[in-house]
Amino acid sequence: MALAPIEKVVLGSDAFAIFWILAVFPAVPFLPIGRTAGSILGAMLMVIFKVIIPEQVYSAIDLSVRGLLFGIMVASIYKERADMFSLDIGSSATPIGNPQNLIISIQSGISFEEFVSGILPAMIVGVFANALILICMSWRLLSDVQEEDALDEMIAEEDSAVHQNL
């Protein structure tokens, strides 16, 4: 396989480096545009620098994946606002639960049932691991609440005992 002309390699590398910086560090102080805009900018630079031609871009776009990814992103915004992400481990067990599963499912041609049965054991382990982590992280908070309740009960009992003796 022959290497592309050096100009294309350099310009393509530059476009990728710009994309990578914006994707990994979405709040770059001199260009705070975020991951999505950084991805679009990187793709535009690849076309502008003539590393790839527009026809190659069009043939690489899978509209069904793009449509589903858009839907997932919209749903993610609402989940984030409702603080529901820790409750969303089950979505990892379906081909449509997250973007990487969608791409694996489409590219491999695995049926929905095969995908779910293959990944279900790992998802169950993930659910239990997440529950254990949440319990460990919240144990002190939960213990403090129970201690406060016990303290409130003791105070209430003492108050009632004092009032009965009067």
Side-chain angles (χ1 to χ4, degrees):
M1 186 167 148
L3 188 62
I6 193 71
E7 302 87 30
K8 279 190 174 187
V9 172
V10 170
L11 291 172
S13 298
D14 290 345
F16 181 77
I18 291 168
F19 152 75
W20 187 84
I21 288 169
L22 295 173
V24 174
F25 307 105
V28 175
F30 61 88
L31 191 61
I33 62 173
R35 288 186 175 101
T36 304
S39 299
I40 293 170
L41 177 63
M44 286 174 36
L45 289 174
M46 294 292 263
V47 173
I48 290 169
F49 294 161
K50 297 183 180 174
V51 175
I52 58 175
I53 59 174
E55 288 76 21
Q56 290 173 310
V57 175
Y58 300 141
S59 68
I61 295 173
D62 187 339
L63 292 178
S64 62
V65 172
R66 291 286 178 201
L68 193 52
L69 286 175
F70 176 76
I72 290 171
M73 288 180 199
V74 170
S76 295
I77 291 169
Y78 289 104
K79 287 180 182 180
E80 182 179 2
R81 289 182 182 170
D83 292 329
M84 291 178 58
F85 275 111
S86 64
L87 304 174
D88 198 26
I89 291 176
S91 71
S92 64
T94 66
I96 57 172
N98 58 43
Q100 53 273 30
N101 287 4
L102 172 66
I103 292 168
I104 291 168
S105 177
I106 288 173
Q107 295 297 321
S108 67
I110 297 174
S111 72
F112 191 92
E113 294 81 17
E114 287 178 300
F115 191 95
V116 171
S117 65
I119 204 154
L120 188 64
M123 189 274 305
I124 291 171
V125 170
V127 167
F128 283 110
N130 188 52
L132 181 63
I133 290 168
L134 288 173
I135 288 170
C136 290
M137 290 174 59
S138 303
W139 189 261
R140 177 176 236 153
L141 177 65
L142 294 172
S143 297
D144 290 345
V145 170
Q146 290 174 352
E147 288 174 11
E148 288 177 12
D149 289 345
L151 185 60
D152 289 343
E153 283 181 30
M154 286 180 15
I155 292 172
E157 287 175 8
E158 287 178 13
D159 285 347
S160 65
V162 168
H163 289 297
Q164 287 176 356
N165 292 335
L166 290 177

